[in-house]
Amino acid sequence: MEPESGASTSRNPSLLSWVNLSRNLLLAYQSFGVVYGDLSTSPLYVFTSTFRGKLKDHRDEETIFGAFSLIFWTLTLIPLIKYVFILLSADDSGEGGTFALYSLLCRHAKFNLLPNQQAADEELSSYKYGPSQQAITSSPLKRFLEKHKRLRTALLIVVLFGACMVIGDGVLTPAISVLASVSGLQVTERKLTDGELVLLACVILVGLFALQHIGTHKVAFVFAPVVIIWLLSIFSIGLYNTIFWNPRIVRALSPYYLIKFFIKTGKEGWISLGGILLCITGTEAMFADLGHFTATSIRIAFAFVIYPCLVVQYMGQAAFLSKNLQSIHNSFYDSIPEPVFWPVFVVATLAAIVGSQAVITATFSIIKQCHALGCFPRVKVVHTSKHIYGQIYIPEINWILMILTLAITIGFQDTTIIGNAYGLACMTVMFVTTFLMTLVAIFVWQKSVVIAIAFLLFFWVIEGTYLSAAFMKVPQGGWVPLVLSCIFMVVMYVWHYGTRRKYSYDLHNKVSLKWLLGLGPSLGIVRVPGIGLIYSELATGVPSIFSHFVTNLPAFHKVLVFVCVKSVPVPYVSPEERFLIGRVCPRPYRMYRCIVRYGYKDIQRDDGDFENHLIQSIAEFIQREAEEPQYSSSESSSLDGRMAVISTRTLESTASLIVSEIEEIGVDSSIPSSKSVTLRSLQSVYDDESPQVRRRRVRFQLPSNPGMDPAVREELVDLIQAKEAGVAYVLGHSYVKARKSSSFLKKLVIDIGYSFLRKNCRGPAVALNIPHISLIEVGMIYYV
């Protein structure tokens, strides 16, 4: 029956399209709780922010009609046309945001500044995107950008500046949304004082940040109905106000009123754009959160629900204001009919919390992606959902955001001033996104340069006009995102510069393979049972930490594996392609290389199976090398061996090894057969402290295959015996210092800035989930 069902589905495309549509409708429903909370709460403060300042001299029906016309066309041109119809098509394997656009550019042109990239990375299945790259290899613009490193650095700085402005959004959105929602209490009979309002807003904000560890997926699913109720409420109120107060407002949909607005208000009208642009804050979330949904679901949600609800709400508010000019200072709450005031107030407050939640989560994702680019110190990343990949929580960043948000709320106590800062941050991100989208159109989509430039100029004229108005508000609060961005940019630049200098030192101080080969298979020292995993950022060659260790200790493990954990410019690397295994030196040396690759959205999970996957992957490589001649180039004395991609999805018995699992209670297998009395006593103390803990132990055995090459069998036996003897993790504990001949600025950046960040971020052993009991750290000073 099953095949028939499948066949009927394939023969019935309408059924298949119905299944696809229902899935997209479900995702569209869920997107309300994650994507649109911020955008849908903008009516709380847009008109109030617009008519503050010099525009208060033009408070009349005609100006309000013009302001609504501006809001309508802004919503139509930027969120609807630019984002929904154009930008959502520029996804990176389903991921969106400025980093997705940058990742696409890095893969289609050599713009990437990550130091340890290899040709093998280009063979990843998720690396390939769009048309063949051969067609654009001769592009003069592409060659020009690839040739000049300063231009590639400038591109990275632009991307990071956009990222810093998103972090600024993460600070400002909760402050303005919550403060605007509770301001409704000033309309009630018992008006609260400004101090009481700020105190209430701070209590809500502390609660919001304290709940972050639960995870967006739970909050969003619960709050999706809240946002939908909120949208229905503002739609109904907008419709009521339009019909009851001034139905003629419908005429303001014409751009004629927009032109009249500027003719009448002149410079004051231009400066008021800093308030108008608040109607599109949160638009970037549609693109940035694309990875959790689909482009179709986000398009459906915006075009059929969000857009009409917002247009009708702004229309109704403008109709109310045109007949009640004195209510401009609190236009939203004054326009609510009295019988429904309290229900709408409660829903508005909850919707503001949802909007803040989404932007805070987006900030966590941005920080994670900056770290993957080598531009942010190591932080603790907690994966909050088993089902929704990519939803994370970063405790350190959460509390920093909370402190900054509370400081802004208490410091300004006014949504208009916070709105000035907020508008500048949002418009800067949009400006950067338009620029990156133009480059994607040229290099990835291979569109005509003329079409791409037309797109750039059209949207840059609109966004540039808004941005110039927002910059006029810098003295009145607009300086906040600029200061925050500068602080985060300094942190990112110092970390990126220090990391690159350290990598460069490693690259120029690699151990000579000739020297290693000259030592012979024993390396001139005693080779003791066990596996030594030597961690390094180098993807090729032997790191200087190894020679530092060998020259100071007379023994090393029988099997050595040089491990490099690195990021590649793709969102995700599938488990089948995560491990690259190769050989360092000829077979008798028992030295291998393992490169573990992660995408910029991948989470490095601590599943405890890393050692077992590694052993199995090396065994697979040994077997494959014997069967396929192209991998045996490792016998060459001058080069590392060719590397092979080994699948690591599950621990299954293969042709190379038989895998068996046993469960032990209260026994750790990290030093199972150690002959050292000291280690055994340490192990027993460790077991006593964690009694009755069930641990899974994986054992490897050789299959009874009489046809197996004796040399391969001997190597596999050595590998299994080394695993049974125990695994040690060797890590460099490095101190990075500037050379004495360095300039004062370089000494300041390396000796103070980079040193401070390294001391106060997570250690590499913790970030790589290395078991503390098996860790060996080798101290080294890097003079860069």
PDB file of all heavy atoms in Angstrom, residues 123 200 284 451 495 497 505 520 540 552 573 604 688 698 737 754 764 780:
ATOM      1  N   GLU A 123      34.670  21.758  -2.071  1.00  0.00           N
ATOM      2  CA  GLU A 123      33.998  20.527  -2.491  1.00  0.00           C
ATOM      3  C   GLU A 123      32.798  20.198  -1.602  1.00  0.00           C
ATOM      4  O   GLU A 123      32.091  19.220  -1.843  1.00  0.00           O
ATOM      5  CB  GLU A 123      35.001  19.362  -2.470  1.00  0.00           C
ATOM      6  CG  GLU A 123      36.111  19.527  -3.505  1.00  0.00           C
ATOM      7  CD  GLU A 123      37.245  18.521  -3.327  1.00  0.00           C
ATOM      8  OE1 GLU A 123      37.057  17.554  -2.558  1.00  0.00           O
ATOM      9  OE2 GLU A 123      38.302  18.703  -3.938  1.00  0.00           O
ATOM     10  N   LEU A 200       8.466  50.635  36.210  1.00  0.00           N
ATOM     11  CA  LEU A 200       7.672  49.513  35.693  1.00  0.00           C
ATOM     12  C   LEU A 200       8.335  48.909  34.450  1.00  0.00           C
ATOM     13  O   LEU A 200       8.433  47.674  34.307  1.00  0.00           O
ATOM     14  CB  LEU A 200       6.246  49.990  35.359  1.00  0.00           C
ATOM     15  CG  LEU A 200       5.295  48.948  34.749  1.00  0.00           C
ATOM     16  CD1 LEU A 200       5.084  47.779  35.703  1.00  0.00           C
ATOM     17  CD2 LEU A 200       3.948  49.589  34.375  1.00  0.00           C
ATOM     18  N   GLU A 284      14.386  44.203   9.021  1.00  0.00           N
ATOM     19  CA  GLU A 284      15.579  43.366   8.802  1.00  0.00           C
ATOM     20  C   GLU A 284      15.389  41.957   9.367  1.00  0.00           C
ATOM     21  O   GLU A 284      15.978  41.000   8.872  1.00  0.00           O
ATOM     22  CB  GLU A 284      16.793  44.044   9.453  1.00  0.00           C
ATOM     23  CG  GLU A 284      18.119  43.427   9.113  1.00  0.00           C
ATOM     24  CD  GLU A 284      18.580  43.677   7.683  1.00  0.00           C
ATOM     25  OE1 GLU A 284      18.139  44.665   7.080  1.00  0.00           O
ATOM     26  OE2 GLU A 284      19.382  42.876   7.178  1.00  0.00           O
ATOM     27  N   ILE A 451      21.849  46.768 -14.162  1.00  0.00           N
ATOM     28  CA  ILE A 451      20.659  46.449 -13.348  1.00  0.00           C
ATOM     29  C   ILE A 451      21.003  46.553 -11.866  1.00  0.00           C
ATOM     30  O   ILE A 451      20.244  47.110 -11.065  1.00  0.00           O
ATOM     31  CB  ILE A 451      20.134  45.026 -13.681  1.00  0.00           C
ATOM     32  CG1 ILE A 451      19.614  44.987 -15.119  1.00  0.00           C
ATOM     33  CG2 ILE A 451      19.049  44.589 -12.693  1.00  0.00           C
ATOM     34  CD1 ILE A 451      19.260  43.607 -15.621  1.00  0.00           C
ATOM     35  N   TRP A 495      40.291  41.673  18.265  1.00  0.00           N
ATOM     36  CA  TRP A 495      40.303  40.199  18.305  1.00  0.00           C
ATOM     37  C   TRP A 495      40.724  39.627  16.955  1.00  0.00           C
ATOM     38  O   TRP A 495      41.532  38.693  16.890  1.00  0.00           O
ATOM     39  CB  TRP A 495      38.930  39.676  18.701  1.00  0.00           C
ATOM     40  CG  TRP A 495      38.907  38.184  18.862  1.00  0.00           C
ATOM     41  CD1 TRP A 495      38.484  37.264  17.963  1.00  0.00           C
ATOM     42  CD2 TRP A 495      39.384  37.435  19.993  1.00  0.00           C
ATOM     43  NE1 TRP A 495      38.655  35.990  18.438  1.00  0.00           N
ATOM     44  CE2 TRP A 495      39.201  36.071  19.701  1.00  0.00           C
ATOM     45  CE3 TRP A 495      39.939  37.785  21.213  1.00  0.00           C
ATOM     46  CZ2 TRP A 495      39.559  35.055  20.592  1.00  0.00           C
ATOM     47  CZ3 TRP A 495      40.288  36.775  22.105  1.00  0.00           C
ATOM     48  CH2 TRP A 495      40.103  35.437  21.783  1.00  0.00           C
ATOM     49  N   TYR A 497      42.472  41.089  14.530  1.00  0.00           N
ATOM     50  CA  TYR A 497      43.874  41.410  14.256  1.00  0.00           C
ATOM     51  C   TYR A 497      44.803  40.486  15.052  1.00  0.00           C
ATOM     52  O   TYR A 497      45.749  39.902  14.500  1.00  0.00           O
ATOM     53  CB  TYR A 497      44.147  42.870  14.620  1.00  0.00           C
ATOM     54  CG  TYR A 497      45.588  43.295  14.392  1.00  0.00           C
ATOM     55  CD1 TYR A 497      46.075  43.537  13.109  1.00  0.00           C
ATOM     56  CD2 TYR A 497      46.470  43.431  15.462  1.00  0.00           C
ATOM     57  CE1 TYR A 497      47.393  43.912  12.897  1.00  0.00           C
ATOM     58  CE2 TYR A 497      47.790  43.809  15.263  1.00  0.00           C
ATOM     59  CZ  TYR A 497      48.240  44.051  13.980  1.00  0.00           C
ATOM     60  OH  TYR A 497      49.552  44.412  13.779  1.00  0.00           O
ATOM     61  N   TYR A 505      52.079  33.811  12.868  1.00  0.00           N
ATOM     62  CA  TYR A 505      53.259  33.327  13.603  1.00  0.00           C
ATOM     63  C   TYR A 505      53.342  31.805  13.496  1.00  0.00           C
ATOM     64  O   TYR A 505      54.412  31.240  13.216  1.00  0.00           O
ATOM     65  CB  TYR A 505      53.160  33.753  15.072  1.00  0.00           C
ATOM     66  CG  TYR A 505      54.313  33.262  15.928  1.00  0.00           C
ATOM     67  CD1 TYR A 505      55.445  34.049  16.138  1.00  0.00           C
ATOM     68  CD2 TYR A 505      54.282  31.995  16.531  1.00  0.00           C
ATOM     69  CE1 TYR A 505      56.498  33.604  16.917  1.00  0.00           C
ATOM     70  CE2 TYR A 505      55.328  31.531  17.306  1.00  0.00           C
ATOM     71  CZ  TYR A 505      56.445  32.349  17.500  1.00  0.00           C
ATOM     72  OH  TYR A 505      57.489  31.889  18.271  1.00  0.00           O
ATOM     73  N   GLY A 520      63.177   9.833  12.342  1.00  0.00           N
ATOM     74  CA  GLY A 520      62.765   8.426  12.234  1.00  0.00           C
ATOM     75  C   GLY A 520      61.401   8.206  12.865  1.00  0.00           C
ATOM     76  O   GLY A 520      60.857   9.086  13.539  1.00  0.00           O
ATOM     77  N   THR A 540      47.489  22.892   7.623  1.00  0.00           N
ATOM     78  CA  THR A 540      48.581  22.155   6.971  1.00  0.00           C
ATOM     79  C   THR A 540      49.832  22.289   7.832  1.00  0.00           C
ATOM     80  O   THR A 540      49.970  23.258   8.587  1.00  0.00           O
ATOM     81  CB  THR A 540      48.890  22.726   5.569  1.00  0.00           C
ATOM     82  OG1 THR A 540      49.218  24.124   5.708  1.00  0.00           O
ATOM     83  CG2 THR A 540      47.710  22.575   4.633  1.00  0.00           C
ATOM     84  N   ASN A 552      61.090  19.325  25.095  1.00  0.00           N
ATOM     85  CA  ASN A 552      61.079  19.479  26.550  1.00  0.00           C
ATOM     86  C   ASN A 552      60.665  18.221  27.307  1.00  0.00           C
ATOM     87  O   ASN A 552      60.867  18.142  28.520  1.00  0.00           O
ATOM     88  CB  ASN A 552      60.136  20.618  26.960  1.00  0.00           C
ATOM     89  CG  ASN A 552      60.724  21.976  26.645  1.00  0.00           C
ATOM     90  OD1 ASN A 552      61.572  22.476  27.355  1.00  0.00           O
ATOM     91  ND2 ASN A 552      60.294  22.568  25.526  1.00  0.00           N
ATOM     92  N   VAL A 573      27.627  22.581   7.850  1.00  0.00           N
ATOM     93  CA  VAL A 573      28.376  21.484   7.236  1.00  0.00           C
ATOM     94  C   VAL A 573      27.706  20.189   7.683  1.00  0.00           C
ATOM     95  O   VAL A 573      27.537  19.958   8.890  1.00  0.00           O
ATOM     96  CB  VAL A 573      29.861  21.491   7.675  1.00  0.00           C
ATOM     97  CG1 VAL A 573      30.597  20.288   7.096  1.00  0.00           C
ATOM     98  CG2 VAL A 573      30.534  22.781   7.241  1.00  0.00           C
ATOM     99  N   GLN A 604      28.710  23.597  17.939  1.00  0.00           N
ATOM    100  CA  GLN A 604      29.628  22.513  18.296  1.00  0.00           C
ATOM    101  C   GLN A 604      29.063  21.804  19.523  1.00  0.00           C
ATOM    102  O   GLN A 604      29.250  22.238  20.649  1.00  0.00           O
ATOM    103  CB  GLN A 604      31.023  23.067  18.573  1.00  0.00           C
ATOM    104  CG  GLN A 604      31.644  23.725  17.363  1.00  0.00           C
ATOM    105  CD  GLN A 604      33.043  24.234  17.621  1.00  0.00           C
ATOM    106  OE1 GLN A 604      33.759  23.731  18.467  1.00  0.00           O
ATOM    107  NE2 GLN A 604      33.446  25.256  16.871  1.00  0.00           N
ATOM    108  N   ASP A 688      34.228   8.171  42.797  1.00  0.00           N
ATOM    109  CA  ASP A 688      33.535   8.298  44.088  1.00  0.00           C
ATOM    110  C   ASP A 688      32.690   9.566  44.139  1.00  0.00           C
ATOM    111  O   ASP A 688      31.640   9.608  44.769  1.00  0.00           O
ATOM    112  CB  ASP A 688      34.547   8.318  45.251  1.00  0.00           C
ATOM    113  CG  ASP A 688      35.212   6.948  45.433  1.00  0.00           C
ATOM    114  OD1 ASP A 688      34.612   5.959  44.947  1.00  0.00           O
ATOM    115  OD2 ASP A 688      36.294   6.883  46.039  1.00  0.00           O
ATOM    116  N   VAL A 698      32.429   2.641  24.106  1.00  0.00           N
ATOM    117  CA  VAL A 698      32.472   2.046  22.762  1.00  0.00           C
ATOM    118  C   VAL A 698      33.782   1.295  22.607  1.00  0.00           C
ATOM    119  O   VAL A 698      34.848   1.824  22.923  1.00  0.00           O
ATOM    120  CB  VAL A 698      32.353   3.144  21.676  1.00  0.00           C
ATOM    121  CG1 VAL A 698      32.472   2.551  20.292  1.00  0.00           C
ATOM    122  CG2 VAL A 698      31.035   3.893  21.822  1.00  0.00           C
ATOM    123  N   LYS A 737      52.411  38.419  22.595  1.00  0.00           N
ATOM    124  CA  LYS A 737      53.010  39.717  22.910  1.00  0.00           C
ATOM    125  C   LYS A 737      53.530  40.357  21.615  1.00  0.00           C
ATOM    126  O   LYS A 737      53.925  39.646  20.694  1.00  0.00           O
ATOM    127  CB  LYS A 737      54.175  39.551  23.899  1.00  0.00           C
ATOM    128  CG  LYS A 737      53.732  39.036  25.278  1.00  0.00           C
ATOM    129  CD  LYS A 737      54.908  38.955  26.226  1.00  0.00           C
ATOM    130  CE  LYS A 737      54.497  38.432  27.594  1.00  0.00           C
ATOM    131  NZ  LYS A 737      53.583  39.350  28.301  1.00  0.00           N
ATOM    132  N   TYR A 754      44.188  42.865  23.040  1.00  0.00           N
ATOM    133  CA  TYR A 754      44.025  41.435  22.743  1.00  0.00           C
ATOM    134  C   TYR A 754      44.284  40.582  23.987  1.00  0.00           C
ATOM    135  O   TYR A 754      43.566  39.605  24.240  1.00  0.00           O
ATOM    136  CB  TYR A 754      44.985  41.042  21.611  1.00  0.00           C
ATOM    137  CG  TYR A 754      44.800  39.627  21.117  1.00  0.00           C
ATOM    138  CD1 TYR A 754      43.624  39.244  20.482  1.00  0.00           C
ATOM    139  CD2 TYR A 754      45.804  38.672  21.271  1.00  0.00           C
ATOM    140  CE1 TYR A 754      43.446  37.952  20.011  1.00  0.00           C
ATOM    141  CE2 TYR A 754      45.634  37.378  20.808  1.00  0.00           C
ATOM    142  CZ  TYR A 754      44.454  37.026  20.177  1.00  0.00           C
ATOM    143  OH  TYR A 754      44.279  35.736  19.733  1.00  0.00           O
ATOM    144  N   PRO A 764      40.095  28.045  25.216  1.00  0.00           N
ATOM    145  CA  PRO A 764      39.876  27.146  24.068  1.00  0.00           C
ATOM    146  C   PRO A 764      39.489  25.736  24.485  1.00  0.00           C
ATOM    147  O   PRO A 764      38.716  25.071  23.812  1.00  0.00           O
ATOM    148  CB  PRO A 764      41.230  27.161  23.339  1.00  0.00           C
ATOM    149  CG  PRO A 764      42.212  27.775  24.278  1.00  0.00           C
ATOM    150  CD  PRO A 764      41.440  28.623  25.222  1.00  0.00           C
ATOM    151  N   MET A 780      53.379  28.628  25.699  1.00  0.00           N
ATOM    152  CA  MET A 780      54.225  29.194  24.640  1.00  0.00           C
ATOM    153  C   MET A 780      54.012  30.700  24.558  1.00  0.00           C
ATOM    154  O   MET A 780      52.902  31.188  24.749  1.00  0.00           O
ATOM    155  CB  MET A 780      53.860  28.587  23.274  1.00  0.00           C
ATOM    156  CG  MET A 780      54.606  27.330  22.940  1.00  0.00           C
ATOM    157  SD  MET A 780      54.376  26.909  21.197  1.00  0.00           S
ATOM    158  CE  MET A 780      55.432  28.086  20.396  1.00  0.00           C
TER     159      MET A 780
END
